[in-house]
Amino acid sequence: MRSTAMLFAAAVAAATMSAGVAHADALDTVKARGKLICGTQSASVPYAYQDTATRSFVGYDVDMCAALAKGLGVALEHKPLSTEARIPELKMDRVDVVAGSMAYLPERAQQVDYSLQYLQGSIKVLVRKNSGIASLKDLAGRKVCASKGSSSAAIAARVLPNSQVLSFQDVASCYLGLQNEKVDGFTAGELILKRFELDSQKAGTPVVLLPEPTYVEHIGVVVNKGNPKLLAAVNKVIQDMDKDGTLDAMYTKWLGADSIYKLTRTFKVEPVDAE
């Protein structure tokens, strides 16, 4: 009887410990591992892409991953992801956080938690210069391409209800479709499209950005739900970066005066769903 009681007590203790491990905050896992696994997109200039000379990944989001790991006091393992794999990889615990230029959307916020805003950008539409399309209303009845799984695709379906929105595998496929006249517009983040616009001028097949945005994106680092300690730690790192100038320097390097885009940072570090 006594041995049975002891075994039962041991089983309860083991179950309790297992439950504790199962519900441990991801920050504890990161600290114990000594490494932050941070996901970004795999081919999105200037956010995260492979440098042709070094073959290493560089970009605004890659630098954000490095800053997060440094702020948490751990090493970094960078993991490049396809656009549509960002949330699934997080949900399967294959990455701890995603700094993947992931704009806030209410439906996404049902699956993951967002940090404070660390980036803001406009979604726009690229068209062929000779297409006769001068505004968003001119896209009625036209085919518009977006990268599969992107916020651009979700937003285009809402704000361009009279257009046929098609999802291609990635931004390169969309641009090729635009050049080959398989689609009439290509929607994505302004910086991605600006690069294609600049490149097209050299290639002799010019494309242009429509001036009005379809949406202004509020972008945060995402973590899996149920990890308040990790989310708070990420928020603190971003706030510290904002205070000590690191965030400004990163923006200047990739998007501002030191880049081809020459943009000026106007966004604040605040909740992504702030009005």
Side-chain angles (χ1 to χ4, degrees), residues 18-40:
S18 297
V21 170
H23 294 92
D25 194 287
L27 180 63
D28 300 325
T29 303
V30 169
K31 293 286 190 178
R33 189 198 300 134
K35 178 172 64 178
L36 176 73
I37 305 174
C38 184
T40 68

Side-chain angles (χ1 to χ4, degrees), residues 2 25-26 83 95 105 112 158 193 200 213 216 228-229 232 255 261:
R2 183 178 178 183
D25 194 287
T83 300
V95 294
L105 293 173
V112 297
R158 296 175 187 170
L193 298 182
S200 77
V216 176
K229 288 167 58 179
L255 313 174
Y261 309 106

Side-chain angles (χ1 to χ4, degrees), residues 107 123 144-146 150-167 187 214:
E107 54 266 38
I123 294 179
V144 178
C145 177
S150 67
S151 55
S152 304
I155 290 162
R158 296 175 187 170
V159 303
L160 302 173
N162 298 319
S163 301
Q164 183 182 354
V165 180
L166 306 175
S167 293
T187 183
T214 62

Side-chain angles (χ1 to χ4, degrees), residues 81-177:
L81 306 170
S82 64
T83 300
E84 65 270 20
R86 292 174 297 179
I87 289 180
E89 289 286 303
L90 188 67
K91 302 301 285 184
M92 290 186 287
D93 294 324
R94 292 178 178 171
V95 294
D96 302 309
V97 300
V98 175
S101 297
M102 193 177 296
Y104 170 81
L105 293 173
E107 54 266 38
R108 283 178 175 169
Q110 292 177 3
Q111 302 179 67
V112 297
D113 285 332
Y114 278 83
S115 75
L116 297 171
Q117 180 172 253
Y118 76 95
L119 182 60
Q120 189 180 93
S122 295
I123 294 179
K124 291 194 171 184
V125 179
L126 195 68
V127 299
R128 292 182 298 278
K129 190 173 183 178
N130 62 1
S131 66
I133 299 171
S135 67
L136 294 180
K137 67 179 181 180
D138 294 334
L139 291 168
R142 308 278 192 132
K143 294 179 180 178
V144 178
C145 177
S147 178
K148 184 178 179 182
S150 67
S151 55
S152 304
I155 290 162
R158 296 175 187 170
V159 303
L160 302 173
N162 298 319
S163 301
Q164 183 182 354
V165 180
L166 306 175
S167 293
F168 285 14
Q169 186 61 35
D170 50 37
V171 294
S173 300
C174 273
Y175 182 60
L176 184 61

Side-chain angles (χ1 to χ4, degrees), residues 13 22 50 68 80 85 100 121 147 149 162 173 182-183 185 212 227 249 272:
Q50 203 166 25
L68 289 173
S147 178
N162 298 319
S173 300
K182 292 182 178 179
V183 296
E212 55 202 306
N227 296 289
V272 290

